[in-house]
Every structure is written in C-alpha cells, then in structure tokens.
Amino acid sequence: MSVQESAFHGFANPVDPTPAELRAWAYQPDSVPLTSMPPDWDLLVSGDRLVMTLFELAMDTRCPARRFALHCLYIYAADGIRTNFRAHPKRRFRKLVDQAERNGDELMRTWAHNSRVLLTRPELFVYREWCEGGLVRENRRL
C-alpha cells in the first residue's frame, strides 16, 4: 500500500510533523485542512528537517498539495538567502535548485530561476511574494 492509498489520520504533533506524516497529508490534504493547522504552519514546516520531503512533493505533478510544498520551498529559499545561509546550508539549497532546473517542470524551473535571482539580488525580496505565496499564485519569473 503506497502513501497515496493509505488513510491519513492526522499529525501526532502538527507543529513538528514527521516527513512521513507530511507526505501522507500531502496526498490527502482535505483530511486535515490547512485552516485547522497552527498559525504560520507553512513557516514552521519550511525548515531543513522537512525540505527534502517538501521538494519531493513539489516535484510530483500528481501531488494534491504540490502548490503548498512549492510555497514552502519559496520560504526556505528566501530564509536561507536573507540570512546569508545561517538558517539553511547553502550547499543543500544549491543542490535543490540544480535538481529543479535539471528535472523539474515549469513551476519548479521558475522556483529555481527566482531563487537564483534572489541569490544575486537579495534586495528583490518582497515578503508577500516569497512568504505569503505570491510567486506561487502568479507563477512569474523575477
């Protein structure tokens, strides 16, 4: 039975979900609506511990919560760049960007492009676009 087929019964601790819980939820996001999650849940899950899971979900064009995962990747990228990679390892960030450019679809290539632009021009950071989902909703290149 795959993650997509198994029933998701909720998070043991929604503030600190496991990668398996996040993956299971992503394929059944209506089982626990985002509106029932803690405030700023997107910011809470957008860290190093879950970034590989978020990246896998964002790369999966069949994942129902793909746009949420992509939104979290925008937060992750902005957080790393704006803290000069004190918040997240630069090497991991670069590997994700490279992989998105090589193997991603248009949404993922746009994320990679925008991340590279912000890396070279951090003054282009706008909270609404990077942390409130603006670039995901608009799917535009900087």
Side-chain angles (χ1 to χ4, degrees):
M1 182 179 279
S2 74
V3 170
Q4 291 89 336
E5 296 167 352
S6 63
F8 178 65
H9 300 293
F11 298 98
N13 179 0
V15 175
D16 188 22
T18 67
E21 288 174 331
L22 184 62
R23 191 175 294 107
W25 169 81
Y27 288 97
Q28 297 179 25
D30 294 336
S31 61
V32 181
L34 280 174
T35 55
S36 71
M37 299 310 288
D40 298 323
W41 190 63
D42 53 348
L43 300 175
L44 293 171
V45 301
S46 296
D48 288 322
R49 187 165 163 278
L50 296 171
V51 72
M52 297 309 291
T53 303
L54 290 165
F55 186 80
E56 291 167 13
L57 297 170
M59 290 287 281
D60 184 354
T61 59
R62 298 163 306 162
C63 178
R66 180 180 190 217
R67 290 173 62 83
F68 174 80
L70 181 59
H71 163 63
C72 291
L73 290 179
Y74 271 101
I75 293 170
Y76 182 84
D79 194 31
I81 293 166
R82 293 186 66 235
T83 63
N84 199 26
F85 295 98
R86 287 185 303 277
H88 308 298
K90 189 173 191 175
R91 185 174 180 199
R92 177 179 293 150
F93 166 75
R94 287 192 181 273
K95 283 183 176 184
L96 294 174
V97 169
D98 290 345
Q99 188 174 349
E101 288 172 337
R102 277 192 320 274
N103 304 323
D105 66 354
E106 186 58 30
L107 283 176
M108 291 303 292
R109 287 192 306 272
T110 298
W111 170 76
H113 168 84
N114 289 344
S115 295
R116 286 198 189 275
V117 169
L118 188 65
L119 187 58
T120 60
R121 298 193 51 211
E123 72 275 8
L124 293 178
F125 173 80
V126 175
Y127 188 87
R128 184 193 73 73
E129 292 182 341
W130 287 84
C131 299
E132 292 181 347
L135 289 170
V136 175
R137 284 188 299 277
E138 297 166 13
N139 189 33
R140 70 177 178 82
R141 288 179 171 243
L142 296 177

